[in-house]
């Protein structure tokens, strides 16, 4: 390359280092990511490349399907993270045991991992075991191997923020999860911190979580409420949030009139029409666009839920009482209150301490559900509630319209199916996005190569033009020298020969004729001098 492009001339020097810079740029150019490429470039190559065009269509199709499916929220909303064991000894198998209260038919078991908030590192699947087994029992002591779901043969794929859904058809009272290889266990490390952390264990039958509010036991627990507690394992609060669809609606929920005193009691009463066996009562918190950063907007600080056979509640049946201390804000997680086989016609939610907004206090809920016989009976119930806040977003009927804030509430089985479908679509979408980015970067690389090739070609053309100009200049100079030589030979040579001849003749002549010849010699010499100039 040096010998081909290193040319030396009196007026120009072209060094091949300039070409070496271009070749280095061609070989090791740095490329921007596909997301940072200009839109005009992306749209242009998408039209030109049929493969890229199909990838773009698939991505748009996946994104459209994801919009209508239930999805796991991106951010944690509640204060309670779940259960966390203490650091155990090596080869110890920590476990947790959920007591459903009685033998019940089970359809599905759902294990929800812990996701730490950003200020604690944002770790997804924190403390989830590498290997574990799930066992069912009627008495809590005898665990039949036939009633066991075994994940102990090999390390499981980390679930990150996604629930582990385990179909299981049978009956049991107790559900136990045992970590045979807890998180933090590593055979090749001396510093070990084996422990078990879970956000939630759900035991489903139809649209009911049988484990909600059930008693949990464990050999060891890091009790640091409200963040860590063994009872957080069945509090219905996790990264999954509320069981809602992805398609939004316009309606919001119920918002009471503002109160100056936080201790002003507010009562919501439902008449179910007849005495019914109750399964549970579900309170759905509020998220309002007016204050989007306030998740759990207006959720009561203290409350209790009661049932009764008569409207006067002469003999109330207590479902839950959270009036002694403030209830941790659940964020956007539903609060499920088990009924414990209570039968009642009337259900009453009494709020004894309202939520503080600014300088006033309110009660706000997006939905209340009452399940009886595995079915929500609120749509046929009559609601008696205090006057709502005078705005179009707030109405009593919005409290029982089947929507949580701005999303329809889904049955738990459908919700889990949509979560699994959206998780699969997200994985496929990530793969498609990677293929698209690779394809775009390939086009970017080729485009840069073409641009560099054109620059190099233009540089070579300029170089060839300069080299041709130099050769032409040299040819012109040679022709000029030849012409000058001919002129000198023809005119100057002839004049000099004439001068020499006249000088010899002048030497032979007398003085008068000599003067004439000398005048001729002077004239010819002057003409020759002019020709030389």
């Amino acid at each position: 390359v040096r010998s081909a492009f290193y040319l030396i001339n009196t007026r120009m020097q072209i060094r091949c280092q300039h070409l070496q810079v271009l070749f280095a740029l061609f070989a090791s150019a740095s490329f921007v990511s596909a997301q940072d490429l200009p839109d005009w470039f992306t749209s242009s190559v998408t039209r030109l490349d049929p493969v890229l065009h199909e990838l773009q269509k698939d991505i748009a199709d996946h994104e459209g399907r994801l919009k209508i499916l239930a999805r796991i929220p991106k951010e944690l909303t509640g204060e309670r993270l779940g259960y966390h064991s203490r650091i155990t000894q090596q080869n110890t198998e920590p476990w947790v045991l959920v007591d459903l209260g009685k033998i019940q038919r089970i359809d599905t078991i759902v294990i929800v991992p812990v996701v730490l908030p950003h200020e604690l590192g944002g770790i997804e699947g924190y403390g989830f075991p590498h290997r574990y087994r799930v066992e069912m029992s009627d008495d809590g002591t005898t665990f039949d191997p036939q009633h066991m779901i075994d994940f102990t043969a090999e390390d499981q794929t980390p679930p990150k923020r996604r629930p582990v859904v385990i179909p299981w058809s049978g009956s049991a009272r107790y559900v136990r999860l045992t970590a045979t290889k807890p998180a933090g266990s590593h055979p090749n490390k001396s510093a070990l911190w084996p422990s078990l952390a879970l956000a939630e264990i759900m035991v489903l039958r139809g649209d009911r979580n049988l484990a909600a509010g059930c008693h949990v036991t464990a050999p060891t627990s890091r009790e640091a409420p409200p963040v860590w507690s063994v009872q957080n394992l069945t509090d219905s609060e996790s990264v999954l949030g509320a069981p809602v669809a992805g398609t939004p609606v316009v309606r919001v929920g119920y918002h009471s009139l503002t109160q100056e005193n936080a201790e002003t009691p507010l009562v919501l009463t439902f008449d179910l029409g007849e005495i019914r066996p109750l399964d549970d009562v579900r309170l759905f918190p509020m998220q309002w666009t007016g204050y989007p950063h306030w998740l759990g907007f207006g959720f009561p600080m203290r409350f209790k839920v009661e049932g009764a056979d008569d409207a006067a509640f002469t003999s109330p049946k207590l479902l839950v009482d959270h009036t002694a201390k403030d209830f941790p804000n659940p964020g956007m997680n539903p609060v499920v209150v088990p009924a414990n086989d209570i039968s009642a016609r009337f259900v009453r939610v009494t709020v004894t301490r309202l939520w503080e907004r600014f300088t006033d206090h309110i009660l706000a809920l997006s939905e209340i559900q009452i399940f009886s016989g595995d079915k929500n009976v609120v749509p046929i119930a009559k609601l008696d509630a205090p006057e709502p806040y005078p705005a179009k977003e707030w109405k009593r009927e919005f409290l029982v319209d089947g929507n949580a804030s701005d999303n329809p509430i889904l049955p738990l089985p459908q919700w889990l199916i949509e979560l699994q479908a959206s998780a699969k679509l997200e994985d496929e979408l990530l793969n498609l996005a990677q293929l698209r980015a690779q394809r775009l970067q390939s086009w970017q690389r080729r485009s840069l190569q073409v641009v560099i090739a054109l620059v190099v070609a233009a540089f070579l053309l300029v170089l060839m033009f300069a080299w041709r100009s130099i050769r032409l200049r040299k040819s012109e100079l040679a022709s000029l020298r030849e012409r000058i030589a001919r002129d000198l030979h023809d005119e100057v040579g002839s004049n000099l020969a004439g001068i020499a001849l006249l000088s010899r003749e002048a030497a032979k002549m007398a003085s008068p004729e000599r003067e004439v010849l000398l005048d001729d010699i002077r004239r010819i010499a002057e003409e020759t001098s002019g020709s030389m100039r």
Side-chain angles (χ1 to χ4, degrees):
V1 174
R2 288 182 180 274
S3 59
F5 296 102
Y6 192 89
L7 304 177
I8 300 177
N9 191 267
T10 56
R11 296 186 179 181
M12 180 180 294
Q13 291 185 357
I14 302 176
R15 300 180 180 274
C16 68
Q17 283 87 344
H18 302 153
L19 288 178
Q20 289 176 339
V21 171
L22 292 176
F23 292 143
L25 179 63
F26 179 82
S28 61
S30 60
F31 302 100
V32 299
S33 63
Q35 293 81 2
D36 297 330
L37 290 174
D39 293 337
W40 64 265
F41 178 84
T42 302
S43 59
S44 299
V45 299
T46 301
R47 287 192 296 267
L48 293 174
D49 188 348
V51 175
L52 197 56
H53 182 69
E54 288 300 319
L55 285 173
Q56 188 64 35
K57 285 178 59 179
D58 290 342
I59 289 174
D61 176 67
H62 279 63
E63 290 176 343
R65 291 160 62 188
L66 273 175
K67 289 181 179 179
I68 61 175
L69 289 176
R71 301 178 68 180
I72 300 173
K74 294 182 179 180
E75 298 292 339
L76 291 171
T77 60
E79 300 177 15
R80 293 172 288 187
L81 295 182
Y83 161 79
H84 195 311
S85 74
R86 296 187 179 275
I87 296 176
T88 62
Q89 299 295 324
Q90 184 66 9
N91 300 323
T92 301
E93 298 181 350
W95 53 268
V96 291
L97 180 69
V98 179
D99 182 3
L100 302 180
K102 62 181 180 180
I103 298 176
Q104 304 196 61
R105 180 176 57 83
I106 299 172
D107 297 335
T108 308
I109 297 172
V110 183
I111 306 170
V112 186
V114 172
V115 177
L116 297 182
H118 291 300
E119 57 269 21
L120 295 179
I123 301 174
E124 298 180 342
Y126 172 80
F128 201 87
H130 301 297
R131 302 184 186 188
Y132 59 96
R133 63 176 179 267
V134 180
E135 302 163 289
M136 277 62 69
S137 169
D138 293 340
D139 57 13
T141 57
T142 304
F143 289 90
D144 188 347
Q146 294 182 353
H147 296 111
M148 179 177 68
I149 303 162
D150 196 351
F151 297 103
T152 61
E154 59 183 3
D155 288 0
Q156 300 300 301
T157 302
K160 295 186 178 180
R161 63 193 302 117
R162 297 172 180 174
V164 178
V165 180
I166 306 172
W168 189 79
S169 180
S171 298
R173 173 176 174 174
Y174 296 90
V175 178
R176 183 175 72 179
L177 184 146
T178 304
T180 58
K181 185 179 179 182
S185 300
H186 199 291
N188 300 323
K189 291 184 179 180
S190 57
L192 299 174
W193 46 273
S195 61
L196 172 64
L198 298 171
E200 189 81 8
I201 292 182
M202 304 170 66
V203 182
L204 305 185
R205 185 185 70 211
D207 196 15
R208 283 189 61 200
N209 177 15
L210 302 175
C214 289
H215 181 69
V216 183
T217 56
T220 175
S221 174
R222 179 188 295 177
E223 291 297 314
V227 179
W228 301 113
S229 176
V230 66
Q231 291 307 129
N232 288 354
L233 203 56
T234 57
D235 63 354
S236 300
E237 186 169 320
S238 69
V239 68
L240 302 183
V244 295
T247 306
V249 293
V250 178
R251 290 173 284 187
V252 180
Y254 172 79
H255 185 308
S256 71
L257 295 174
T258 59
Q259 305 292 332
E260 294 183 1
N261 187 0
E263 311 299 329
T264 302
L266 295 180
V267 179
L268 307 173
T269 305
F270 295 86
D271 182 1
L272 306 182
E274 61 182 10
I275 297 176
R276 298 172 179 270
L278 303 181
D279 297 331
D280 57 48
V281 178
R282 307 176 189 181
L283 309 179
F284 286 82
M286 170 67 63
Q287 182 179 16
W288 182 37
T289 55
Y291 300 97
H293 58 288
W294 278 350
L295 302 176
F297 174 81
F299 197 86
M301 303 291 292
R302 299 187 183 186
F303 64 96
K304 63 181 178 180
V305 181
E306 301 168 293
D309 297 338
D310 61 297
F313 281 80
T314 54
S315 299
K317 305 171 186 179
L318 185 65
L319 276 68
V320 71
D321 189 353
H322 292 297
T323 59
K325 60 180 180 180
D326 289 352
F327 187 81
N329 191 290
M332 292 309 297
N333 297 279
V335 176
V336 181
V337 179
N340 299 321
D341 298 325
I342 290 177
S343 296
R345 173 179 174 175
F346 297 88
V347 176
R348 182 172 66 185
V349 179
T350 304
V351 179
T352 58
R353 175 173 289 180
L354 302 175
W355 187 74
E356 182 179 358
R357 190 172 63 169
F358 291 113
T359 59
D360 51 20
H361 303 82
I362 63 165
L363 165 64
L365 291 170
S366 64
E367 186 78 4
I368 292 182
Q369 293 182 334
I370 302 173
F371 274 73
S372 175
D374 295 345
K375 181 181 179 181
N376 180 23
V377 295
V378 159
I380 62 174
K382 295 181 180 179
L383 170 63
D384 181 17
E387 185 71 19
Y389 194 81
K392 63 180 181 180
E393 300 97 334
W394 316 114
K395 294 182 180 180
R396 292 187 182 95
E397 53 267 32
F398 288 170
L399 194 60
V400 293
D401 65 353
N403 300 312
S405 291
D406 55 356
N407 295 89
I409 299 174
L410 297 177
L412 293 177
Q414 180 184 349
W415 176 57
L416 289 175
I417 290 173
E418 291 196 12
L419 286 183
Q420 291 177 301
S422 63
K424 182 179 179 182
L425 283 174
E426 286 174 350
D427 291 340
E428 294 175 355
L429 185 60
L430 179 61
N431 184 47
L432 289 172
Q434 290 175 346
L435 292 176
R436 178 176 177 270
Q438 293 173 2
R439 194 80 177 180
L440 284 173
Q441 288 181 347
S442 176
W443 271 94
Q444 180 191 8
R445 189 178 297 108
R446 293 174 185 174
S447 301
L448 183 59
Q449 290 173 352
V450 170
V451 170
I452 294 177
L454 291 176
V455 171
V456 172
F459 184 81
L460 292 177
L461 287 175
V462 172
L463 185 65
M464 292 178 62
F465 180 78
W467 178 71
R468 186 174 178 276
S469 298
I470 293 172
R471 292 290 303 272
L472 183 60
R473 182 62 178 166
K474 287 184 177 180
S475 176
E476 291 176 352
L477 289 175
S479 299
L480 180 60
R481 291 189 184 97
E482 290 178 0
R483 182 170 59 83
I484 293 174
R486 286 195 301 270
D487 291 343
L488 290 174
H489 178 271
D490 296 341
E491 183 176 352
V492 177
S494 176
N495 291 343
L496 292 175
I499 290 173
L501 181 60
L502 291 174
S503 298
R504 287 195 297 271
E505 291 297 326
K508 298 176 182 179
M509 292 182 180
S511 179
E513 294 83 356
R514 185 182 300 172
E515 292 295 333
V516 175
L517 291 176
L518 290 176
D519 289 338
D520 292 338
I521 291 173
R522 183 174 59 255
R523 178 181 54 77
I524 294 173
E526 289 176 353
E527 291 176 357
T528 302
S529 176
S531 298
M532 288 297 292
R533 285 195 297 271

